[in-house]
Amino acid sequence: MHMKRFLKFAHTLGAVGLMGAAACLLVLLRFLPDPSALAEYAQMRAGMAAVSKWVFMPSLTLTLLAGLLSMAATKGFQDAGWVLIKLATGVLVFEMGLVGVDGPMGKEAALAAEALKGNAGAGKLGASLGSEATTLWLLMGVSVANVALGVWRPRLLRRQRG
């Protein structure tokens, strides 16, 4: 019983960190200086990459792993349709996080640092802003839906054994 509570706590803690980091990144994207202000842009992008690497991705990983372990440890979850929906959306959120958030944040920070050194064209900077924001908003929406599924646990798609 203690393991189930620990997994629930870890899953919730991860979700809080994930959504908090996503909200933080959305705010930072909103106040991101224009790439023409290269020093400020590079500094902000380095901070955003750090939030993604040290808060967003660990929280996302914790949420997914704790959720998967909860599904394995709790017999009642194995037949619940809402859990299968959370599994599918959890994998989707993980992929969005890797491909649509963490990857572009790191690449843009590295590109800005290189441009600041004079090694790369600053003209390439800022190209991913729209897709980063869209991905973060989608991720927030799916995360809110996952929280709602976990709280209200609707009786959906209950599989019959036998």
Side-chain angles (χ1 to χ4, degrees), residues 39-116:
E40 293 84 5
Y41 183 83
Q43 185 175 22
M44 181 78 90
R45 276 305 194 161
M48 293 170 75
V51 168
S52 181
K53 179 179 179 178
W54 297 107
V55 181
F56 179 82
M57 287 307 298
S59 296
L60 179 54
T61 303
L62 178 61
T63 303
L64 186 62
L65 288 177
L68 290 172
L69 291 171
S70 280
M71 291 165 66
T74 307
K75 188 156 181 66
F77 287 175
Q78 295 168 7
D79 296 328
W82 64 270
V83 173
L84 297 176
I85 294 170
K86 279 188 63 124
L87 172 62
T89 57
V91 171
L92 176 66
V93 165
F94 192 74
E95 185 174 341
M96 283 192 311
L98 279 174
V99 176
V101 178
D102 191 55
M105 293 281 170
K107 286 178 187 171
E108 191 72 9
L111 186 61
E114 287 299 311
L116 195 57

Side-chain angles (χ1 to χ4, degrees), residues 73-160:
T74 307
K75 188 156 181 66
F77 287 175
Q78 295 168 7
D79 296 328
W82 64 270
V83 173
L84 297 176
I85 294 170
K86 279 188 63 124
L87 172 62
T89 57
V91 171
L92 176 66
V93 165
F94 192 74
E95 185 174 341
M96 283 192 311
L98 279 174
V99 176
V101 178
D102 191 55
M105 293 281 170
K107 286 178 187 171
E108 191 72 9
L111 186 61
E114 287 299 311
L116 195 57
K117 293 178 193 173
N119 297 337
K124 297 178 185 177
L125 294 173
S128 63
L129 287 174
S131 63
E132 287 174 87
T134 300
T135 301
L136 284 164
W137 280 113
L138 285 170
L139 191 138
M140 288 289 278
V142 173
S143 295
V144 168
N146 274 341
V147 169
L149 281 170
V151 170
W152 284 290
R153 299 178 177 189
R155 296 197 185 276
L156 306 170
L157 309 170
R158 184 164 291 277
R159 296 187 309 174
Q160 299 297 321

